[in-house]
């Protein structure tokens, strides 16, 4: 095996294993919380769906690319290739939708206390569950025709117009059809990205105004809303960075009829960066996790501690 292919395989393997362990740890965190008196918030429900979306992205993108980098190519059947690409697209889209819903909900939560915003704050938690499930359904409907383009690398020997991804291939069609299909796939992502950036801008503006009001106070306790807002802003900024980087590689990959293995691997690595990093961002800024770990490792069973988690 060539040294460069071995290095790429190790990168994929490390990224996939670390990402899966991180998301699994965050999932265990919510399982442990279910055994306490802590009442899960609406944002926790969004986090759980983000974990599921991350798992789909890592398993359906990281695992097959790792296998291909280590030399296990042409091992997937026609149906498995279609299923892998479909689940990856759905997971990727659900991840974008989850971050969008999370940022919009947090922007509504910390919004000014006038009558219109107050009514919206009361209604917002009720729309979390329908919005999340609508996001999943929309991604399934939009990407249901995506597998039409995908075929197994072992079954494309009689097809001339194919784009090889190492373990699966994509059948090339005319430019008009590809452009229309690309616009259809991109529309939900662009819409979510616009809402996400708008909500993030609103949170930054509110945070700046709050800082201006309390700057004369030497020591001001950080409210839970402020901490949650900073965590979401970090999550959104990280997502936008990796999503932009991934989109650049995806565009170059889309316009290339015969892309080289470096471009294919870079597009896959950048696509899996956010699912691998996001659980660690959430855990590092969540004080409930630190208190929960302290309570369980120290065998603390105080109801007072559980109520305050």
């Amino acid at each position: 095996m060539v040294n460069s292919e071995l290095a790429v395989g190790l990168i994929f393997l490390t990224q996939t294993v670390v990402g899966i362990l991180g998301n699994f740890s965050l999932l265990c965190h919510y399982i442990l919380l279910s055994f306490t008196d802590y009442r899960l918030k609406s944002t926790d429900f969004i986090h759980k769906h983000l974990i599921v979306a991350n798992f789909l992205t890592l398993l359906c993108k990281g695992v097959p690319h790792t296998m291909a980098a280590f030399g296990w190519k042409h091992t997937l059947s026609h149906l498995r290739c279609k299923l892998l690409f479909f689940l990856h697209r759905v997971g990727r889209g659900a991840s974008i939708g989850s971050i969008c819903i999370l940022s919009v909900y947090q922007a509504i939560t910390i919004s000014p206390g006038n009558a219109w915003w107050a009514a919206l704050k009361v209604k917002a938690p009720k729309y979390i569950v329908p919005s999340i499930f609508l996001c999943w359904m929309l991604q399934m409907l939009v990407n249901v025709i995506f597998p039409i383009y995908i075929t197994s690398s072992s079954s494309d020997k009689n097809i001339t117009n194919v784009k090889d991804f190492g373990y699966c291939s994509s059948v090339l069609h005319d430019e008009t059809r590809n452009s229309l299909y690309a616009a259809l796939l991109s529309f939900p992502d662009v819409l979510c990205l616009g809402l996400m950036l708008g909500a993030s801008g609103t949170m930054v503006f509110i945070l700046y105004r709050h800082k201006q009001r309390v700057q004369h106070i030497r020591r001001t306790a950080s409210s839970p809303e402020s901490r949650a807002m900073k965590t979401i802003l970090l999550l959104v900024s990280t997502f936008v960075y990796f999503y932009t980087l991934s989109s650049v590689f995806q565009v170059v990959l889309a316009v290339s009829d015969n892309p080289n293995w470096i471009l294919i691997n870079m597009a896959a690595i950048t696509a899996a960066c956010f699912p691998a990093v996001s659980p660690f961002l959430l855990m590092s800024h969540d004080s409930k996790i630190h208190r929960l770990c302290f309570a369980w490792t120290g065998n603390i069973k105080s109801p007072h501690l559980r109520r305050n988690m």
Side-chain angles (χ1 to χ4, degrees):
M1 182 181 295
V2 183
N3 291 335
S4 57
E5 292 182 349
L6 178 61
V8 170
L10 291 175
I11 292 174
F12 276 121
L13 181 62
T14 303
Q15 185 184 49
T16 303
V17 171
V18 170
I20 289 176
L21 289 177
N23 284 280
F24 182 74
S25 300
L26 191 58
L27 182 62
C28 289
H29 157 63
Y30 288 112
I31 294 175
L32 291 177
L33 281 181
S34 64
F35 292 102
T36 68
D37 294 335
Y38 174 76
R39 184 178 179 182
L40 291 177
K41 299 181 294 185
S42 299
T43 53
D44 295 326
F45 180 79
I46 302 175
H47 291 164
K48 288 188 287 186
H49 281 266
L50 180 61
I51 294 171
V52 176
N54 288 342
F55 271 124
L56 280 179
T57 304
L58 289 169
L59 291 174
C60 298
K61 177 65 70 171
V63 173
H65 271 280
T66 302
M67 295 172 59
F70 280 111
W72 294 324
K73 299 179 180 180
H74 314 302
T75 58
L76 296 177
S77 65
H78 192 64
L79 181 60
R80 289 177 181 175
C81 279
K82 292 179 179 295
L83 184 61
L84 276 177
F85 272 77
F86 172 72
L87 291 178
H88 170 256
R89 289 290 310 182
V90 172
R92 178 181 176 275
S95 177
I96 298 174
S98 298
I99 300 296
C100 175
I101 295 171
L102 186 64
S103 57
V104 171
Y105 175 76
Q106 190 62 39
I108 294 173
T109 302
I110 64 170
S111 59
N114 56 52
W116 189 83
W117 282 108
L120 191 58
K121 287 181 184 180
V122 175
K123 296 179 181 179
K126 301 177 183 178
Y127 294 108
I128 292 293
V129 175
S131 298
I132 288 292
F133 283 106
L134 179 63
C135 172
W136 282 97
M137 293 300 299
L138 179 63
Q139 291 300 326
M140 290 181 183
L141 290 174
V142 170
N143 291 286
V144 71
I145 57 176
F146 187 80
I148 296 175
Y149 289 79
I150 305 302
T151 181
S152 172
S153 296
S154 59
S155 63
D156 60 4
K157 297 178 180 178
N158 297 325
I159 305 175
T160 55
N161 282 338
V162 294
K163 185 182 298 184
D164 188 15
F165 295 109
Y167 58 96
C168 293
S169 301
S170 174
V171 180
L172 299 177
H173 295 279
D174 59 275
E175 294 184 1
T176 303
R177 186 187 301 180
N178 287 338
S179 300
L180 291 174
Y181 185 60
L184 175 64
L185 289 178
S186 302
F187 178 74
D189 295 352
V190 173
L191 179 62
C192 288
L193 191 62
L195 290 173
M196 192 187 309
L197 293 176
S200 301
T202 301
M203 286 189 283
V204 170
F205 177 71
I206 294 173
L207 184 63
Y208 174 76
R209 288 185 60 185
H210 174 72
K211 185 177 180 180
Q212 292 293 107
R213 286 197 298 267
V214 300
Q215 64 180 354
H216 62 282
I217 303 176
R218 289 187 178 181
R219 299 182 64 182
T220 304
S222 179
S223 64
E225 290 80 7
S226 178
R227 291 195 301 270
M229 180 173 59
K230 292 176 181 178
T231 301
I232 293 171
L233 286 175
L234 178 62
L235 199 67
V236 169
S237 60
T238 305
F239 174 81
V240 171
Y241 172 76
F242 284 124
Y243 177 80
T244 303
L245 193 62
S246 175
S247 297
V248 171
F249 282 107
Q250 290 293 338
V251 169
V252 177
L253 187 63
V255 298
S256 302
D257 292 336
N258 189 23
N260 56 39
W261 71 275
I262 298 178
L263 179 60
I264 294 173
N265 289 326
M266 287 301 298
I269 289 172
T270 54
C273 279
F274 179 77
V277 171
S278 59
F280 298 100
L281 295 178
L282 290 172
M283 288 188 290
S284 63
H285 289 78
D286 196 336
S287 59
K288 296 190 303 296
I289 296 180
H290 303 134
R291 290 198 294 268
L292 184 65
C293 292
F294 177 77
W296 279 76
T297 56
N299 197 22
I300 296 176
K301 300 180 180 180
S302 170
H304 177 71
L305 174 64
R306 293 182 176 180
R307 283 193 299 268
N308 288 278
M309 284 175 48

